[in-house]
Amino acid sequence: MGLYDRNSRGVAYESYELDSARQSSVEVGFVKRVYQLLTASLVAATAGAFVGTEYVKTFSWMLLILEFALLFGLMFSKNKPTLALFMLFGFTFVSGLTLGPVLNRYISMGMGHAVTQAFLATSVSFAALTVFAFNTKRDFSFMGKFLFITLVVVVVAGLANLFFQSTLLATVLSAVGAILFSAYILYDTQNIIRGGYDSPVIAAVNLYLDILNLFVSLLNLFGILNKE
């Protein structure tokens, strides 16, 4: 009887090890898929920005509406892989198109270096934050509500500043935005690692939005600082 018990425990332990290995393999595969989609999304956005700087000379409400339509379409099609991929790359390409006139404005003002500074700062920040999120034992899940509330405040204040046109408020909002979306990169990266997403497409688009908004915040900040 004792031998039987030892063997059964051994089989159970071996089964547990196999299940853990399979689970770990699934998690690694999921994370790898997310970053593959993120890379492809950034390529699509870069292509869109290149086309936008060449052919979209002024801000277009139609492009902005299309961008949001594709984003909402992506959220609703996450369980349809082929359609979700189409929506993801469509959204990221159009977001690049929408960014084109903004980049054109900086370039035409002789401030192309601000674009370069924002790009480099975003790239270095994303790489450093990703490495930190993968290696730290700290739990950032508590930040979710705080980050969302801060995001709402920043959006409302940004809309209000369209009327006030305050350089000081714009500077503060850009700085807060840069910190906010850096924190979102940590938060979303840790959620991806810990299985907080059930769709790699949704995980990838959330990270993409963090990067895009960090870039725009830094671009605005460097633009204001270079003007002064």
Side-chain angles (χ1 to χ4, degrees):
M1 189 67 177
L3 287 174
Y4 176 78
D5 287 343
R6 282 200 299 272
N7 287 338
S8 65
R9 284 197 296 272
V11 170
Y13 183 70
E14 182 180 353
S15 176
Y16 173 77
E17 283 188 324
L18 287 173
D19 288 343
S20 297
R22 290 193 193 100
Q23 181 65 27
S24 177
S25 177
V26 169
E27 290 172 356
V28 170
F30 182 90
V31 172
K32 184 178 179 181
R33 180 61 173 161
V34 170
Y35 283 90
Q36 287 173 338
L37 290 172
L38 176 63
T39 302
S41 297
L42 291 171
V43 171
T46 302
F50 178 78
V51 174
T53 54
E54 291 292 322
Y55 301 105
V56 184
K57 300 303 181 183
T58 57
F59 175 77
S60 170
W61 282 103
M62 292 299 294
L63 281 178
L64 185 62
I65 292 170
L66 176 59
E67 184 180 340
F68 277 102
L70 287 167
L71 180 59
F72 283 116
L74 171 61
M75 298 300 176
F76 286 108
S77 63
K78 64 179 183 178
N79 295 321
K80 300 176 181 178
T82 302
L83 181 58
L85 286 176
F86 174 81
M87 293 289 183
L88 173 64
F89 298 131
F91 165 71
T92 52
F93 180 80
V94 173
S95 70
L97 285 177
T98 308
L99 191 60
V102 177
L103 300 178
N104 258 332
R105 182 165 60 88
Y106 281 94
I107 294 169
S108 64
M109 292 169 61
M111 297 174 62
H113 55 284
V115 177
T116 303
Q117 290 171 342
F119 173 78
L120 292 175
T122 301
S123 301
V124 171
S125 298
F126 176 70
L129 291 166
T130 300
V131 170
F132 179 71
F134 267 85
N135 290 281
T136 186
K137 294 181 180 178
R138 293 183 61 184
D139 183 6
F140 297 108
S141 60
F142 71 92
M143 297 196 306
K145 290 183 180 178
F146 173 75
L147 292 177
F148 180 73
I149 292 170
T150 306
L151 176 61
V152 171
V153 171
V154 168
V155 169
V156 171
L159 291 173
N161 202 39
L162 292 175
F163 299 97
F164 298 130
Q165 296 293 308
S166 167
T167 301
L168 176 60
L169 181 56
T171 305
V172 171
L173 288 176
S174 297
V176 171
I179 296 170
L180 172 64
F181 292 110
S182 294
Y184 257 119
I185 289 172
L186 280 176
Y187 176 77
D188 285 329
T189 301
Q190 194 169 79
N191 274 341
I192 291 166
I193 298 168
R194 297 187 176 186
Y197 290 98
D198 57 3
S199 166
V201 175
I202 299 301
V205 79
N206 278 336
L207 267 184
Y208 170 80
L209 286 169
D210 296 340
I211 295 168
L212 176 64
N213 285 294
L214 174 58
F215 172 75
V216 171
S217 296
L218 289 172
L219 180 60
N220 290 335
L221 186 60
F222 287 132
I224 293 168
L225 294 177
N226 277 287
K227 277 182 184 178
E228 297 178 354

